[in-house]
Amino acid sequence: MKKLTLTEYRSLAYTLRPIKPLGTCCGNVLLETIHVEPLAGRSKTVVKHTCVVQCPECNKMYLSKLD
């Protein structure tokens, strides 16, 4: 997993459809977390955190809350 800067992460996340945590894509397999929103440059008091997840079957990516 490549570490992204906050700018790179936001640029990628802006292009993705949201999906609920533990959501599925094209099957009943769990989506894999491939990027976690960096905390660098963010207020430590902000608790909302997101991640980019990917379907292991079709490789489609989504934005999800990190719960």
Side-chain angles (χ1 to χ4, degrees):
M1 172 174 24
K2 178 187 173 225
K3 282 193 163 190
L4 300 177
T5 65
L6 185 56
T7 302
E8 291 171 327
Y9 180 87
R10 285 182 176 163
S11 178
L12 173 63
Y14 181 74
T15 66
L16 301 175
R17 281 188 13 203
I19 193 168
K20 291 183 180 180
L22 301 178
T24 59
C25 179
C26 60
N28 288 329
V29 296
L30 290 176
L31 302 179
E32 298 174 359
T33 301
I34 58 169
H35 296 293
V36 175
E37 183 176 8
L39 289 176
R42 292 186 51 191
S43 169
K44 303 295 188 239
T45 60
V46 175
V47 294
K48 294 179 182 174
H49 207 60
T50 62
C51 62
V52 175
V53 294
Q54 185 173 35
C55 176
E57 293 187 8
C58 71
N59 294 323
K60 194 169 186 177
M61 294 188 295
Y62 300 92
L63 183 67
S64 177
K65 290 180 184 176
L66 186 64
D67 288 332

